[in-house]
């Protein structure tokens, strides 16, 4: 049995710890508050997954609703221009505009194709990294309750420099989609004398094929 | 098997040396892919092997073995790779990960019955991959130009060297038994079946979505390898500006 005098420092320590911990606990909700990029991802990406798994919608309704949501969240123009690489500088302005439109249709079809694989899963925001004051990487986990497999890591790149948060890229297990698209498009243009119209035709064809059931 | 892999890598070198007379395009040089034309030919060859030989046997594999059995094969092959993973963990100075690899090897080889089950994952020691190509990267060796190896697919001189070294240090390749060739052949074959059965839908998705499948695969491979080298640690600052 320890004498009471030995217990006193322990009790004091406990009291001090409580005094420090209680304010922290009270401040819990404020500390857990997310930045605008995290809130943006948390609120909207799950909506997209919900649309894709909604069995009440037919194929056309699902595609249209997903496309509307996606185009409201994604800065398609910025991504399209990025994926053109060095050809952005040499292509005529009218070709650039036509490319942005073709890319919009292609991106909607491609994103739907990617995300339709994960409709049974739920998205959990785990944190974010701020690259610049207006450039965030939001880390999330796609959790599939039906499997014991570890959740997939999906990162979203969000820019806030236009006044509202917009999505500019997504990475699945560390592989960024826009970087991959830029490599493809630049290689394709390199093989076709930098002709953006050829790429537009190819993208339009792909968008139609992606819309067809597999 | 080690000699066979060495021979394949050597043949690749010869093929590439033979093609070195064709000047690479500016885009190919910019993409660090001076052997692009040869690589594209090699990808076509691998595609034919995949289409006419691998995929039909993957179909058969799915028919014959139920999901539980396929998972057992996957676990068993993963367990065989653990000594090599452990060595590479140590060579990279990843002592904690090396400890995990060792625990996985001990638990899964015994309680997990030769590795067919994965009790280590159930108690919170999940598996991870590591190879000598990654070790070289951690030591500061540059990847070199992009290569597509016959049978093995996307690679580069650093990863091809890693592949040869991993084969050489694999303990199962040191056992000089009469049936070694059969053992090694069967292991490689099942590794291929396991890999392809897991990546079938992903590869099909890439083919379907791609404007240029070759450069898409090249980019996926590079990003995937970089992610493996970083062991999943994020490097958000390395991304290009939009």
């Amino acid at each position: 049995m320890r004498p009471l005098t030995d217990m006193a420092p322990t009790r004091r320590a406990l009291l001090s710890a409580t005094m420090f911990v209680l304010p922290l606990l009270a401040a819990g909700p404020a500390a857990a508050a997310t930045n605008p990029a995290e809130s943006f991802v948390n609120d909207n990406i799950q909506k997209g997954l919900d649309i894709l798994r909604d069995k009440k919608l037919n194929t056309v309704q699902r595609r249209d609703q997903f496309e509307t949501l996606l185009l409201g969240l994604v800065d398609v123009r910025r991504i399209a221009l990025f994926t053109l690489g060095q050809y952005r500088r040499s292509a005529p302005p009218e070709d650039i505009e036509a490319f942005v439109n073709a890319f919009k249709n292609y991106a909607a079809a491609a994103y739907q194709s990617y995300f339709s694989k994960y409709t049974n899963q739920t998205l959990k925001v785990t944190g974010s990294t701020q690259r610049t004051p207006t450039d965030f990487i939001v880390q999330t986990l796609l959790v599939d309750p039906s499997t014991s497999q570890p959740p997939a890591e999906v990162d979203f790149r969000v820019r806030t420099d236009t006044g509202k948060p917009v999505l500019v890229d997504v990475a699945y297990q560390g592989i960024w989609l826009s970087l991959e698209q830029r490599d493809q498009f630049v290689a394709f243009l390199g093989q076709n004398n930098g002709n953006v119209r050829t790429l537009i035709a190819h993208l339009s064809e792909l968008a139609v094929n992606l819309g067809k059931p597999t | 098997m080690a000699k066979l892999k060495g021979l394949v890598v050597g043949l690749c070198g010869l093929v590439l040396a033979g093609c070195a007379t064709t000047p690479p395009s500016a885009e190919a040089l910019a993409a660090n892919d001076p052997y692009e034309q040869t690589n594209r030919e090699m990808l076509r060859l691998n595609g034919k092997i995949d289409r006419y030989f691998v995929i039909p046997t993957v179909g058969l594999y799915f028919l014959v073995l139920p999901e539980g059995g396929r998972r057992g094969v996957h676990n068993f092959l993963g367990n065989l790779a653990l000594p090599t993973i452990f060595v590479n963990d140590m060579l990279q100075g990843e002592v904690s990960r090396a400890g995990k690899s060792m625990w996985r090897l001990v638990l899964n080889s015994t309680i997990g019955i030769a590795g067919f089950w994965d009790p280590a994952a159930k108690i919170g020691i999940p598996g991870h991959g590591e190879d000598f190509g990654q070790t070289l990267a951690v030591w500061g060796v540059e990847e070199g130009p992009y290569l597509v190896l016959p049978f093995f697919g996307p690679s580069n001189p650093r990863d091809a060297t890693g592949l040869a070294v991993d084969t050489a240090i694999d303990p199962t390749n040191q056992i000089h038994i009469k049936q070694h060739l059969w053992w090694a052949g069967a292991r490689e074959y099942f590794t291929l079946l396991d890999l392809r059965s897991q990546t079938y839908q992903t590869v099909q998705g890439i083919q379907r979505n791609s404007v240029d499948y070759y450069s898409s695969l090249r980019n996926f491979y590079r990003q995937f390898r970089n992610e493996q080298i970083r062991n999943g640690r994020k490097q958000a600052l390395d991304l290009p500006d939009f």
Side-chain angles (χ1 to χ4, degrees), chain A residues 79-80 82-85 99 103 106-107 110-111 114 157 168-172 174-189 199 203 206 210, chain B residues 31 40 146 202-224 239-240 242:
Chain A
I79 302 172
F82 172 76
T83 58
L84 275 181
F99 171 75
F103 182 82
Y106 166 74
Y111 271 72
Y114 287 126
R157 190 167 176 190
V168 293
D169 207 355
V170 57
Y172 182 79
I175 297 171
W176 290 96
L177 199 59
S178 295
L179 297 184
E180 182 263 334
Q181 283 172 340
R182 184 183 60 176
D183 263 21
Q184 282 193 70
F185 294 179
V186 168
F188 183 90
L189 288 167
L199 179 60
L203 277 184
L206 259 180
L210 283 169
Chain B
R40 282 186 185 269
Y146 180 68
T202 308
V203 172
Q204 208 180 29
I206 297 171
Q207 283 171 332
R208 196 162 171 257
N209 285 305
S210 296
V211 168
D212 179 32
Y213 176 59
Y214 170 82
S215 47
S216 179
L217 203 62
R218 181 179 64 195
N219 186 282
F220 273 127
Y221 179 73
R222 283 175 170 162
Q223 288 204 59
F224 176 68
L239 293 170
F242 272 66

Side-chain angles (χ1 to χ4, degrees), chain B residues 28-65:
Chain B
L29 286 174
N32 193 16
D33 188 4
Y35 310 113
E36 183 176 343
Q37 290 314 313
T38 314
N39 286 338
R40 282 186 185 269
E41 290 298 323
M42 211 54 78
L43 183 68
R44 268 191 280 275
L45 172 74
N46 286 346
K48 281 182 184 159
I49 294 169
D50 189 56
R51 186 174 172 188
Y52 296 113
F53 177 68
V54 182
I55 293 301
T57 54
V58 168
L60 199 65
Y61 182 59
F62 265 78
L63 262 178
V64 172
L65 214 58

Side-chain angles (χ1 to χ4, degrees), chain A residues 36-139:
Chain A
E38 285 185 33
S39 307
F40 170 75
V41 169
N42 196 41
D43 296 345
N44 291 300
I45 303 300
Q46 192 61 48
K47 273 187 208 164
L49 291 175
D50 290 342
I51 291 171
L52 293 176
R53 72 163 147 246
D54 190 346
K55 289 192 171 66
K56 286 181 220 145
L57 302 173
N58 63 35
T59 312
V60 178
Q61 288 170 323
R62 187 175 297 118
R63 188 196 60 205
D64 290 349
Q65 285 196 21
F66 184 79
E67 193 173 321
T68 307
L69 176 78
L70 189 81
L71 297 180
L73 305 177
V74 178
D75 191 341
V76 180
R77 185 178 182 82
R78 193 194 301 236
I79 302 172
L81 295 177
F82 172 76
T83 58
L84 275 181
Q86 70 269 30
Y87 293 99
R88 177 188 172 180
R89 289 190 293 272
S90 55
E94 60 274 19
D95 284 1
I96 297 274
E97 290 311 310
F99 171 75
V100 171
N101 280 328
F103 182 82
K104 195 182 286 181
N105 295 330
Y106 166 74
Y111 271 72
Q112 183 166 349
S113 169
Y114 287 126
F115 281 104
S116 59
K117 296 184 185 81
Y118 309 107
T119 50
N120 294 327
Q121 306 183 13
T122 50
L123 188 95
K124 187 183 165 197
V125 173
T126 56
S128 61
T129 310
Q130 192 169 3
R131 294 184 73 245
T132 68
T134 57
D135 192 353
F136 297 82
I137 309 292
V138 179
Q139 288 105 30

Side-chain angles (χ1 to χ4, degrees), chain A residues 191-204:
Chain A
Q191 291 178 333
N192 290 279
N193 303 317
N195 189 341
V196 176
R197 283 172 189 265
T198 317
L199 179 60
I200 293 168
H202 199 79
L203 277 184
S204 305

Side-chain angles (χ1 to χ4, degrees), chain B residues 186-206:
Chain B
R187 181 182 168 186
E188 290 303 322
Y189 179 65
F190 274 98
T191 303
L192 184 66
L193 277 184
D194 178 53
L195 178 75
R196 205 60 188 90
S197 65
Q198 289 189 32
T199 57
Y200 178 73
Q201 282 191 320
T202 308
V203 172
Q204 208 180 29
I206 297 171

Side-chain angles (χ1 to χ4, degrees), chain A residues 9-22:
Chain A
T10 312
R11 205 175 290 140
R12 267 201 302 274
L14 192 67
L15 190 66
S16 311
T18 310
M19 284 173 70
F20 276 106
V21 169
L22 273 179

